[in-house]
Structures are given as structure tokens and as C-alpha cells.
């Protein structure tokens, strides 16, 4: 298959749609991003990469980081973790408080904000401090991306904290139900820090290979998690990776994937490759509008969906 040509065709097809989305202006540091940008990369199991657009441009990975923190949490907590965070789709917006109240402070899944904040809390408990948890998160990301030069954008993290009322509310609500070990502000700050990590589509498509290969990085042969754990993460990506548009993403794209409000999306083709796409304009559910379309075109043109 001529992947380069397929990516180039997709880039041409989505170009007219670039101004249809709306950037994540509820985070002031992301409000000024030019929506007219696009990048897409795929990484195959032998490490070969194909890219189009601004695939070297760094962006805020935001909720894509939730895949990496959930991976670490599953590694350490396994099934005992299910009492703290579930694995059912929420059908609600990513930052909704409503369901959390009537479900007694147990978030539906690790990819909505409440769930990811809870996962971060579990990592702080496991590693002994927020600093150590953050260091382990970023080192894990550097390892799976096989890239040392990955950092957070402090301005984004500070900006998220300044407007962080909703996430602080989610953490406080969980704390009130006794489902948060550490201090609300410490947990939320650590959560914002990992959301503010910057990567590009080349790095992200490389980083996701372990999930396309049962937890084992096919390039370095490093085993990060067990095959059943990889199966679970992929299942949660498929059912919950795009919040209240997860069904839509499965319907149109047909791959396990995860989005972030920075405009990035990652997806995996089991046994074959990992994909990342970036375009900052979002749809109503907070997922990259053009990114979703580009992935739909990719699975339509290649036939590489899981269905
Ligand atoms: N840091 C963002 C927030 O908490 C992450 C949301 C997202 O990417 N969907 O709002």
C-alpha cells in the first residue's frame, strides 16, 4: 500500500474543512492557536514512518496523556483499580459533574476528566509524591516515544490552573466521596502538568505502537504491559476515547483512539501500525474536527479498520 500517497490525498481532501472547527479557547494559552494547521503520521511495526503536514510541530497532547497515565495505573493497580474508576462510556461531556454526583464519586471511565484526575491521584499515591508521579509519567512517555526531548509547556499548565474551576470541582466532589487520596490542588496541578506535555504527530504515532502490539513495543521489543492490559486499554479507547462522540468515532473511523483538546488524536490498527493526526479546530464534543475526518478517510481508503 502506498501510505505516503494516501496521506497526501487525505491532506488535500480535508484542507477545505480546516476553519470549520473551534480551538479550545476555554484554556487561554490555547485560544490563540491558528486553526488552519494539519499534520498526520503513521508508524509501522518496523519503525518506518510516513507523514504529511506539520508533523514536526509540537502541540499540547491534553487528554491523549490519559492513555499513558491509565497504562501506568493498570500496571500497578490491576483489577483493584476498578472500584475507583470504571470502564463504561459516560455519554456525557468530558468535564461533566452530573453523573459523578449520582454515581457516588466513582467516574465512569479513565478518559473523562474525573477519571483521569482519579488516575493521577492513584499515581501520586503509588509514587509517593506529585513530583515523582509526574517524573515517572514523562519518563514513560519518553520511553514509549523513544525520544528524550519531550517536555511540558508551563504556560499551558499555568493557564489551565488559572481557569481550573471545573476540574477542581470534579476532584473536590470525588474527595467528598472519599475517592481521592491526595490534596485536591496537588492532584489537579499534576493532571494539568501531564495534559500540557507537548509532542508532535511523529512522536505520538511512534509512542502508541505498544498498544497496537499487545503491550510490547515492536521496534525495541520492550514489554510495557501485559496483553490483557493492552486489550483493556484499547477497549476503553474504542468505547470512551472520544467522550460523548465515542460511538460516532467508532462508527465513522472504526479504530481504538483517543483525542485531546489540543487537536491531537491517536489511534491504533492492531497488529499493524499506530496513527496520529493533529488539527486544532474542535467539534462540539471537543475532538479535532478535521482529525476525525482524516482518520475516517484513512480507514475508508485503506480498509484498515477493526470492523
Ligand atoms: N486539560 C484538559 C481539561 O481538563 C483536557 C481535556 C481534553 O483534552 N479533553 O479540560
Amino acid at each position: 500500500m502506498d501510505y505516503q500517497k494516501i496521506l497526501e490525498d487525505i491532506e488535500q481532501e480535508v484542507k477545505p474543512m480546516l476553519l470549520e472547527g473551534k480551538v479550545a479557547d476555554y484554556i487561554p494559552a490555547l485560544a490563540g492557536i491558528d486553526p488552519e494547521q494539519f499534520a498526520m503520521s503513521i508508524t509501522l511495526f518496523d519503525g518506518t514512518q510516513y507523514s504529511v503536514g506539520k508533523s514536526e510541530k509540537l502541540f499540547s497532547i491534553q487528554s491523549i496523556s490519559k492513555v499513558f497515565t491509565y497504562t501506568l495505573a493498570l500496571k500497578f493497580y490491576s483489577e483493584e483499580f476498578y472500584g475507583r474508576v470504571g470502564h463504561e462510556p459516560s455519554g456525557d461531556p468530558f468535564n461533566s459533574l452530573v453523573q459523578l454526583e449520582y454515581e457516588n464519586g466513582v467516574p465512569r471511565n479513565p478518559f473523562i476528566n474525573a477519571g483521569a484526575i482519579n488516575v493521577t491521584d492513584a499515581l501520586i499515591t503509588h509514587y509517593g509524591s506529585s513530583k515523582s508521579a509526574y517524573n515517572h509519567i514523562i519518563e514513560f512517555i519518553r520511553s514509549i516515544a523513544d525520544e528524550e526531548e519531550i517536555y511540558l509547556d508551563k504556560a499551558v499548565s499555568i493557564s489551565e490552573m488559572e481557569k481550573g474551576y471545573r476540574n477542581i470541582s470534579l476532584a473536590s466532589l470525588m474527595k467528598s466521596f472519599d475517592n481521592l487520596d491526595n490534596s485536591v490542588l496537588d492532584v489537579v496541578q499534576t493532571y494539568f502538568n501531564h495534559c500540557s506535555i507537548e509532542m508532535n504527530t511523529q512522536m505520538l504515532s511512534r509512542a502508541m505502537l505498544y498498544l497496537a502490539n499487545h503491550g510490547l513495543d515492536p521496534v525495541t521489543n520492550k514489554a510495557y504491559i501485559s496483553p490483557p492490559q493492552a486489550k483493556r486499554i484499547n477497549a476503553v479507547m474504542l468505547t470512551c476515547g472520544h467522550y460523548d462522540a465515542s460511538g460516532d468515532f467508532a462508527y465513522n473511523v472504526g479504530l481504538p483512539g483517543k483525542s485531546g483538546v489540543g487537536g491531537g488524536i491517536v489511534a491504533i490498527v492492531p497488529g499493524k501500525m499506530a496513527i496520529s493526526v493533529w488539527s486544532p479546530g474542535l467539534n462540539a464534543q471537543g475532538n479535532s474536527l478535521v482529525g476525525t475526518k482524516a482518520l475516517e478517510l484513512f480507514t475508508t481508503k485503506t480498509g484498515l479498520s477493526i470492523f
Side-chain angles (χ1 to χ4, degrees), residues 68-124:
F68 308 137
T69 51
Y70 186 47
T71 299
L72 286 175
L74 271 193
K75 205 173 156 84
F76 301 123
Y77 288 93
S78 198
E79 300 195 1
E80 68 183 270
F81 199 65
Y82 300 164
R84 296 184 57 143
V85 181
H87 42 270
E88 284 294 339
S90 72
D92 276 334
F94 63 82
N95 56 5
S96 171
L97 282 144
V98 182
Q99 203 168 42
L100 192 62
E101 160 73 0
Y102 63 73
E103 295 189 352
N104 303 320
V106 179
R108 274 286 172 106
N109 68 67
F111 294 158
I112 50 173
N113 287 11
I117 290 168
N118 196 295
V119 165
T120 304
D121 178 57
L123 293 179
I124 294 173

Side-chain angles (χ1 to χ4, degrees), residues 26-27 61-64 66 94-95 111 113 117 160 167 191-192 195-196 243 258-262 285-287:
Y26 78 94
I27 301 173
I61 66 171
Q62 290 296 321
S63 288
I64 295 172
K66 296 171 180 175
F94 63 82
N95 56 5
F111 294 158
N113 287 11
I117 290 168
E160 288 208 68
N167 288 311
Y191 163 77
F192 286 146
C195 286
S196 304
Y243 321 111
K258 181 76 203 84
S259 67
V261 292
Q285 291 83 17
N287 306 306

Side-chain angles (χ1 to χ4, degrees), residues 180-242:
L180 202 86
D181 304 333
N182 299 286
S183 107
V184 165
L185 290 182
D186 203 26
V187 176
V188 173
Q189 183 65 70
T190 310
Y191 163 77
F192 286 146
N193 287 349
H194 68 66
C195 286
S196 304
I197 290 170
E198 289 195 307
M199 294 170 77
N200 58 34
T201 57
Q202 294 182 15
M203 294 171 182
L204 279 167
S205 66
R206 171 67 186 85
M208 291 295 288
L209 278 186
Y210 76 105
L211 284 174
N213 191 39
H214 308 289
L216 177 91
D217 185 321
V219 182
T220 60
N221 269 326
K222 274 190 210 161
Y224 288 106
I225 43 170
S226 68
Q229 288 169 330
K231 176 185 76 179
R232 292 187 175 123
I233 297 165
N234 288 333
V236 182
M237 282 204 293
L238 184 73
T239 54
C240 313
H242 290 77

